Amino acid sequence: MSIPTENVGSLPRPMKLQAAIADYDAGKITKADLKIEQDAACKDSIERMEATGSPINSDGEQRASSFATYPLADTLAGTGLADNLAGDGQYFAIFTDGHHRQLPRLTGGPFKYKTYAADYLKEAMPLANKPLKQAVIAPSMLYLLYPLDGEIEGYTREQFTEDLVNECEKDIRKCFETGAQRVSIDFTEGRLACRNDPNNPWTGRGMLEEFINLNNRVIDRFTAEERKNIGIHTCPGGDCDSTHSADVDYADMLPSMFKMNAGYFLIQLASEPDKERIYKLLGEHSRADANGVPQVCFIGVINPLNPTVETPEQVRDDLLLASKYIPVERLGSTDDCGFSPFSIDVKPKHGSPDFARDVAFQKIESRVKGTQMASEELGLN
Ligand SMILES: [Zn+2]
């Protein structure tokens, strides 16, 4: 049994697709016109990811407005916003390069997804020759749609939370029913919750434990057998080649994160300054038995924000070092983040989204090769 390897989910959208999204927002083209570009980008993403040798792939989230807003709006600019939402919600994150990303604001109930991740997966399945995974958004992120203070008239926080948990459960179940082999939950707000940024009020509210409990309300609705294939992704953000919480010490977050009863974790690590210290933390805090399922640690070996392609040897060496601290049967490899979690992303350090796509596939190929090399070295094949 070799070391498993899996991507997070997204790829940069081709420049042609990003232009089509802008034209759609401006009313210059129809939704059907936009879909032609999305179809082409999904097909290209799956074909090229499969060509890297990767055992499991995704459609690169080419149809999604972002990893967080896909259930709520057709585009990042807010075209096709779901019912009971307004565009002017709180900042989800302020990035180190100064740009920010904002969430919509809930104006009333009930809270319902407009689009489920499985709606995209359904389109991707016929294009794939290998198993597909699907990423979904965590309830803890969408919890931030509700105003931080006070209550919405006629729709209590408790009512909203119950609706949210039901929708997130449905989102995951539909992915498995549609044919996903694995489903990972994006939890980028976990590390950000430890940041306490005065410019971003929610980060100073000590919400991490609340997030963990909320996510477990969804995860605990699944059997141990199902949870083997339900993952959690943690990272310091990855948008426009910039991060939002890389300065937060993982030691503040990881012990809480592993309280979630998920079967695997996709953990940003390639861009950490002291990887060995974090490998050690993973070995200490991940659980061999999380209510019936072992927690497998997929360590990040690829940095999607940096155009320099990691070599397979670097990937191998990271895994070999990690295997000193994490039991090999609970070790995997991944990328630090999606390659473009938001649909509109010029990938400034790469020069262009199209070039960043080429780089992404080279990086995935290195991850696959290096993971294979580590498996051989550890006598797993
Ligand atoms: Zn991420």
Side-chain angles (χ1 to χ4, degrees):
M1 185 70 185
S2 24
I3 296 171
T5 190
E6 177 177 328
N7 66 322
V8 173
S10 66
L11 288 167
R13 280 51 159 192
M15 289 159 75
K16 214 177 156 196
L17 174 56
Q18 294 195 39
I21 295 168
D23 285 346
Y24 179 59
D25 282 329
K28 290 184 196 163
I29 63 168
T30 65
K31 204 169 180 176
D33 296 329
L34 175 62
K35 189 171 181 301
I36 292 169
E37 292 304 331
Q38 290 172 330
D39 288 346
C42 283
K43 186 168 181 288
D44 185 67
S45 297
I46 292 170
E47 281 174 5
R48 292 175 73 187
M49 223 185 294
E50 287 185 348
T52 65
S54 170
I56 183 164
N57 303 289
S58 73
D59 71 352
E61 300 176 8
Q62 304 292 292
R63 300 175 200 278
S65 53
S66 80
F67 73 105
T69 56
Y70 70 84
L72 315 174
D74 296 341
T75 72
L76 263 186
T79 305
L81 198 61
D83 293 341
N84 300 326
L85 290 173
D88 59 344
Q90 61 186 319
Y91 288 166
F92 137 61
I94 302 168
F95 291 78
T96 49
D97 66 356
H99 88 281
H100 66 264
R101 295 290 191 179
Q102 196 174 5
L103 285 166
R105 174 175 58 89
L106 199 68
T107 56
F111 173 70
K112 282 236 171 295
Y113 280 18
K114 180 183 164 175
T115 304
Y116 295 88
D119 297 340
Y120 304 137
L121 183 66
K122 202 172 159 191
E123 304 259 7
M125 287 298 290
L127 305 172
N129 294 302
K130 289 184 186 176
L132 288 173
K133 69 159 293 183
Q134 181 64 48
V136 297
I137 190 57
S140 49
M141 169 69 84
L142 298 182
Y143 186 65
L144 296 171
L145 296 172
Y146 202 93
L148 267 190
D149 297 303
E151 294 232 317
I152 294 173
E153 215 184 302
Y155 193 49
T156 64
R157 187 177 292 276
E158 285 67 36
Q159 284 174 312
F160 165 66
T161 309
E162 186 57 30
D163 286 343
L164 173 62
V165 168
N166 287 336
E167 286 295 83
C168 291
E169 179 195 3
K170 192 172 166 187
D171 203 24
I172 296 171
R173 288 208 189 280
K174 281 169 76 86
C175 288
F176 285 125
E177 284 160 17
T178 305
Q181 188 177 79
R182 313 260 278 175
V183 178
S184 60
I185 302 170
D186 284 326
F187 182 57
T188 183
E189 65 282 10
R191 196 160 170 183
L192 188 53
C194 304
R195 184 138 193 272
N196 198 1
D197 178 353
N199 295 316
N200 196 8
W202 76 262
T203 64
R205 299 290 184 103
M207 293 174 85
L208 181 60
E209 293 306 316
E210 205 175 343
F211 284 178
I212 300 291
N213 292 335
L214 176 64
N215 293 346
N216 261 342
R217 275 178 66 178
V218 173
I219 295 166
D220 287 342
R221 289 182 175 186
F222 293 86
T223 63
E225 201 50 42
E226 289 168 325
R227 282 184 286 115
K228 269 185 201 165
N229 291 315
I230 297 178
I232 297 281
H233 164 56
T234 180
C235 71
D239 181 35
C240 301
D241 294 335
S242 184
T243 58
H244 55 56
S245 54
D247 55 346
V248 170
D249 189 338
Y250 255 142
D252 294 341
M253 201 278 286
L254 291 177
S256 299
M257 184 183 78
F258 286 113
K259 288 185 200 160
M260 286 187 278
N261 295 316
Y264 74 104
F265 292 80
L266 302 170
I267 304 157
Q268 166 267 347
L269 248 158
S271 56
E272 282 298 304
D274 183 355
K275 297 180 206 183
E276 190 165 2
R277 178 175 163 260
I278 312 301
Y279 298 151
K280 203 167 168 222
L281 284 172
L282 300 181
E284 284 166 10
H285 295 286
S286 63
R287 291 180 289 160
D289 182 357
N291 283 1
V293 61
Q295 292 182 322
V296 182
C297 299
F298 286 65
I299 60 162
V301 292
I302 296 292
N303 180 1
L305 309 181
N306 184 334
T308 305
V309 179
E310 294 80 358
T311 64
E313 288 75 16
Q314 284 174 314
V315 169
R316 176 200 62 195
D317 293 347
D318 281 355
L319 282 163
L320 293 179
L321 184 57
S323 73
K324 289 188 185 170
Y325 303 99
I326 304 163
V328 284
E329 69 277 10
R330 291 199 286 116
L331 180 63
S333 71
T334 185
D335 310 315
D336 274 8
C337 192
F339 286 87
S340 263
F342 294 85
S343 54
I344 303 300
D345 183 346
V346 298
K347 296 295 282 179
K349 286 185 189 159
H350 290 71
S352 89
D354 287 350
F355 178 68
R357 276 174 76 80
D358 296 343
V359 169
F361 295 117
Q362 290 169 32
K363 282 176 174 258
I364 294 169
E365 194 171 338
S366 273
R367 167 165 56 75
V368 171
K369 279 190 184 148
T371 303
Q372 187 60 27
M373 287 158 70
S375 297
E376 280 160 24
E377 197 106 351
L378 291 167
L380 297 173
N381 288 336

